[in-house]
């Protein structure tokens, strides 16, 4: 298939483009949000091709994968074609949890019966009001980067993009609480702003995916502090690498992390107590991480993810 998809979430897209298709990614001269083009720090295959708005008008497509509400209008303006029943088949991937009052959680495409909404967790499908749109779930899939746990760094690791701007949503304030008793290093975009807000906290920005995974594996455990998110891919990647995980019990975390892989709790003090125990007992930490890796390979394997997507896309194109 020839698939058009904007580069929105690089980590998710890295898995999606591993399939046997041709992928077209819009690009603008300034590589801004509506045209980032190919990822610069992730390994994407040659089947991912950049396409300009002008080229889009004359390119045949089998399906359009939408990820933001604005892309409906962008496609119509750039390609001069409609989407859905009277145009190019389309699906909408919902990566995010809704915002605002619970009574207003109607999905932007809830009134369209011709564009399926694909949620990345069952939690998302449950909390969004999908209206008359067909709603499906395809859980995340992550490539197996191999067992990478070393655990010789006496600190937890958390992966948070823009941790200051997304302070309570991302649980950055909970990271600040944990650091009072257990060291934490935070990786992600915008982490350079963290030390000014949380003295003594180490923030590391601008790493390639390979560098990030290598550094994550050095830490004795992974901290997932998010209050309100679908399910961070970094949590799954941490389990794939073999790190034991500590997660705030919100959204889909309870379904993603089995008890043998670590601890999911709404009580930060319990997470801190468990982290302190792992520091004293590295054998337990390693065993938890190995159990988490086995679970992640079963539930979040790349082959299952790609098979699920192939099946859905074939139905949409048909």
């Amino acid at each position: 298939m020839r698939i058009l998809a904007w580069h929105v979430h690089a980590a998710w897209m890295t898995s999606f483009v591993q399939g046997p298709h041709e992928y077209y990614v819009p690009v603008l001269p300034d590589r801004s949000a509506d045209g980032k083009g190919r990822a610069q720090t992730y390994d994407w295959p040659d089947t991912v091709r950049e396409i300009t708005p002008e080229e889009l008008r004359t390119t045949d497509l089998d399906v359009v994968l939408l990820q933001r509400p604005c892309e409906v209008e962008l496609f119509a303006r750039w390609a001069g074609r409609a989407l859905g029943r009277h145009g190019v088949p389309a699906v909408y991937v919902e990566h995010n949890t809704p915002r605002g009052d619970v009574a207003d959680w109607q999905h932007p495409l809830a009134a369209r019966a011709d564009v399926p909404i694909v949620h990345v967790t069952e939690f998302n499908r449950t909390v969004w009001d999908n209206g008359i749109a067909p709603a499906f779930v395809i859980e995340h899939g992550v490539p197996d980067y191999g067992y990478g746990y070393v655990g010789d760094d006496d600190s937890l690791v958390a992966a948070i993009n823009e941790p200051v701007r997304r302070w309570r949503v991302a649980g950055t304030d909970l990271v600040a609480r944990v650091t009072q008793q257990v060291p934490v290093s935070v990786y992600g975009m915008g982490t350079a702003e963290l030390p000014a807000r949380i003295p003594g906290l180490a923030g590391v920005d601008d790493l390639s995916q390979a560098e990030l995974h290598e550094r994550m594996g050095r830490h004795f455990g992974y901290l997932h502090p998010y209050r309100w998110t679908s399910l961070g891919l970094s949590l799954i990647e941490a389990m794939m690498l073999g790190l034991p995980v500590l997660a705030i019990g919100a959204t889909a975390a309870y379904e993603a992390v089995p008890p043998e892989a670590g601890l999911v709790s709404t009580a930060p003090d319990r997470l801190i107590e468990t982290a302190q125990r792992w520091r004293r007992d590295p054998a337990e930490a390693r065993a938890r991480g190995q159990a988490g890796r086995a679970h992640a390979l079963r539930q979040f394997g790349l082959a299952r993810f790609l098979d699920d997507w192939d099946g859905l896309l074939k139905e949409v194109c048909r």
Side-chain angles (χ1 to χ4, degrees), residues 13-295:
M13 193 75 163
T14 298
S15 295
F16 184 74
V17 298
Q18 303 304 316
H21 308 293
E22 296 177 34
Y23 306 90
Y24 295 89
V25 182
V27 64
L28 295 173
D30 60 358
R31 294 189 177 269
S32 54
D34 291 337
K36 293 181 181 179
R38 287 176 55 92
Q40 305 299 304
T41 58
Y42 287 76
D43 186 17
W44 287 5
D46 293 338
T47 50
V48 183
R49 305 170 186 176
E50 295 182 341
I51 186 169
T52 66
E54 294 75 23
E55 292 170 331
L56 194 53
R57 286 190 169 268
T58 57
T59 301
D60 290 329
L61 299 167
D62 293 305
V63 63
V64 177
L65 186 137
L66 305 164
Q67 299 171 79
R68 301 171 299 162
C70 67
E71 291 169 5
V72 176
E73 186 275 331
L74 273 178
F75 181 79
R77 177 156 47 91
W78 289 358
R81 286 172 279 176
L83 290 170
R85 184 177 297 111
H86 303 294
V88 182
V91 298
Y92 188 104
V93 183
E94 184 49 74
H95 296 283
N96 301 313
T97 42
R99 299 291 176 88
D101 188 274
V102 65
D104 301 321
W105 287 357
Q106 185 175 68
H107 197 274
L109 270 69
R112 294 196 63 156
D114 61 340
V115 179
I117 301 170
V118 182
H119 296 281
V120 297
T121 66
E122 286 285 1
F123 179 85
N124 265 27
R125 178 163 64 171
T126 299
V127 296
W128 276 105
D129 175 0
N130 298 293
I132 63 172
F136 300 92
V137 175
I138 297 182
E139 289 191 322
H140 289 305
V142 175
D144 180 10
Y145 298 105
Y147 182 73
Y149 184 66
V150 179
D152 59 353
D153 189 317
D154 189 37
S155 65
L156 293 167
V157 57
I160 307 173
N161 287 327
E162 300 184 86
V164 173
R165 183 183 68 82
R166 302 166 66 210
W167 189 256
R168 284 187 54 80
V169 170
T172 312
D173 60 311
L174 299 178
V175 176
R177 180 171 171 180
V178 172
T179 58
Q180 295 174 8
Q181 300 184 59
V182 180
V184 182
S185 294
V186 180
Y187 299 130
M189 295 182 293
T191 53
E193 305 172 30
L194 269 176
R197 191 76 181 266
I198 309 176
L201 184 67
V204 182
D205 198 345
D206 198 26
L207 294 175
S208 70
Q209 189 182 38
E211 291 172 324
L212 173 62
H213 290 165
E214 192 278 330
R215 292 200 183 200
M216 285 175 64
R218 312 293 307 195
H219 297 269
F220 78 86
Y222 180 81
L223 176 63
H224 191 70
Y226 291 79
R227 284 187 175 91
W228 194 239
T229 182
S230 298
L231 184 64
L233 273 169
S234 57
L235 172 64
I236 300 171
E237 291 176 348
M239 288 195 292
M240 281 283 192
L241 291 168
L243 278 80
V245 298
L246 302 168
I248 287 293
T251 64
Y254 279 108
E255 294 180 320
V257 182
E260 62 270 20
L263 177 65
V264 180
S265 175
T266 56
D269 286 344
R270 289 194 62 206
L271 301 180
I272 293 170
E273 291 167 4
T274 302
Q276 292 171 330
R277 189 176 74 243
W278 289 348
R279 293 174 80 189
R280 298 190 300 268
D281 187 356
E284 181 194 347
R286 184 173 296 274
R288 298 276 187 179
Q290 290 171 341
R293 172 169 164 77
H295 170 77

